Amino acid sequence: MNSLGNHPPGGFNKEKLQGLVQRVRFLQSQGAKEENNPEYAQIMNFLKNLQKQQQSRPTPVEQPTVPDMPSAFSQSQLAALKYQILAYKLISKNLVLPPNLQQAVLSP
């Protein structure tokens, strides 16, 4: 795997984050630890740095919704879209997605 460094590359996106998470899970299933696998250690360091960056950022305030407005989307679709938009904003600023947002975006 190429060098991740301490900052995500400019083209970092949801798919790349998913790929890193999948790679970590695979390496863990193979018994990898930070002490015995340089690739695993590098990915984990990268993800920890992303998480630290995100935790240092203030939590955005939610906008109130208007319940009487008709919508072409279900409530669950609107919630998923909201999380995707928030994730995109954070990733576009090279910030870490908090674990709860990662889970919301990555779950089907």
Side-chain angles (χ1 to χ4, degrees), residues 45-62:
N45 186 42
F46 175 76
L47 293 174
K48 287 175 187 175
N49 285 336
L50 285 176
Q51 190 172 22
K52 284 179 188 176
Q53 287 175 1
Q54 180 55 39
Q55 289 173 347
S56 67
R57 304 286 297 174
T59 305
V61 177
E62 277 192 43

Side-chain angles (χ1 to χ4, degrees), residues 34-84:
E34 291 185 55
E35 302 82 37
N36 66 8
N37 188 309
E39 179 186 6
Y40 179 80
Q42 187 178 25
I43 294 171
M44 291 305 293
N45 186 42
F46 175 76
L47 293 174
K48 287 175 187 175
N49 285 336
L50 285 176
Q51 190 172 22
K52 284 179 188 176
Q53 287 175 1
Q54 180 55 39
Q55 289 173 347
S56 67
R57 304 286 297 174
T59 305
V61 177
E62 277 192 43
Q63 296 291 328
T65 59
V66 180
D68 297 327
M69 298 280 293
S71 176
F73 300 101
S74 70
Q75 289 298 321
S76 63
Q77 288 173 321
L78 288 173
L81 180 60
K82 178 183 80 168
Y83 293 129
Q84 290 169 356

Side-chain angles (χ1 to χ4, degrees), residues 24 26-37 39-41:
V24 164
F26 172 77
L27 291 171
Q28 285 173 335
S29 73
Q30 301 296 311
K33 295 183 181 179
E34 291 185 55
E35 302 82 37
N36 66 8
N37 188 309
E39 179 186 6
Y40 179 80

